[in-house]
Amino acid sequence: MVDKALLGVLISGSGTNLQAIIDAIEEKKLPAELRVVISNRADAYGLTRAQKHGIATRVIPHRDFATREEYDAKVVEELRAHRVNLVALAGFNRIVTRVLLSAFPDRVLNIHPALLPSFPGLHAQRQALEYGVKISGATVHFVDEQTDHGPIIVQAAVPVLPGDTEESLAQRILEQEHVIYPLALRLVIEGKVRLDGRRAIVEGGTAELASLVNPSPASAKGAST
Ligand code: GRF
């Protein structure tokens, strides 16, 4: 029996990845209890998603703090108050510091809408389109002190199709994000991810990882023929 993780999720916007995590927990596909959702923005729709499921929410505006470190200290205080032991950044648009990372060593995950190390940072989908790649996707990784750099846990690939816009590609990637974030969290919680330097080795029961390559255009919704 795997001990449940006590999960804290940090958001800044729509919260569709948060919704995927909520759904996976409620469908008993993710052995976790969602203890608190924290947003740096009061207008994040993800707060509404959490509240609809009776999940505690907190707004901690980053503008209230002089430094990123002071902000993170407040976030850590709130996570500790809710007994959190695993942290998921889900559409969270702030850089986190060692204040957060040292409080939860190897227990902070993030999702990025590209196949890292390609296209780190903002507007990853636009970067992929402008570069002209034919395959892009999403990455779940441990967060380290560099941006979009920590050990990669799960990735999923999608085709970039002729006529794609930033929006159509983002939507195709987002569908895979909602698959791999709950999967990656489950693998970590079940103790199936072993860190070896900058590599995260996934062990045992990883058949579902093979299905995360979706190159066939047929798998791509919204493809312009
Ligand atoms: C997603 O593409 C995620 O990869 C990025 O922010 C976007 C919105 O995420 N970090 P969400 O809908 O708020 O979960």
Side-chain angles (χ1 to χ4, degrees), residues 11-19 49 89-92 110-114 125 138 170 173-174 177-178:
I11 63 168
S12 299
S14 166
T16 65
N17 277 287
L18 167 66
Q19 187 67 57
R49 295 178 190 274
L89 311 183
F92 187 61
N110 184 44
I111 188 153
H112 182 74
Q125 303 91 339
I173 292 172
L174 212 46
E177 291 180 44
H178 301 159

Side-chain angles (χ1 to χ4, degrees), residues 114-115 118-119 128 132-137 156-161 169 173 213-216:
L115 294 177
S118 295
F119 315 129
V133 296
K134 303 306 179 190
I135 298 282
S136 191
V158 300
V160 180
L161 298 173
L169 178 57
I173 292 172
V213 179
N214 305 275
S216 58

Side-chain angles (χ1 to χ4, degrees), residues 55-135:
I55 297 161
T57 59
R58 292 289 184 279
V59 177
I60 307 177
H62 55 273
R63 290 189 182 80
D64 291 359
F65 299 84
T67 67
R68 293 185 188 284
E69 287 75 9
E70 287 171 47
Y71 180 79
D72 280 5
K74 179 63 180 170
V75 169
V76 169
E77 181 188 318
E78 203 60 60
L79 291 169
R80 292 266 192 257
H82 287 85
R83 297 177 31 244
V84 164
N85 62 20
L86 183 62
V87 182
L89 311 183
F92 187 61
N93 66 8
R94 304 289 300 167
I95 301 288
V96 299
T97 71
R98 73 177 62 190
V99 169
L100 176 68
L101 300 177
S102 59
F104 298 93
D106 298 330
R107 301 288 286 179
V108 181
L109 277 67
N110 184 44
I111 188 153
H112 182 74
L115 294 177
L116 293 173
S118 295
F119 315 129
L122 298 176
H123 310 302
Q125 303 91 339
R126 183 188 309 165
Q127 291 183 60
L129 279 175
E130 289 172 352
Y131 193 94
V133 296
K134 303 306 179 190
I135 298 282

Side-chain angles (χ1 to χ4, degrees), residues 174-192:
L174 212 46
E175 287 171 22
Q176 297 306 314
E177 291 180 44
H178 301 159
V179 171
I180 65 174
Y181 216 166
L183 170 59
L185 284 164
R186 179 170 62 77
L187 291 169
V188 169
I189 293 166
E190 291 178 347
K192 291 177 179 169

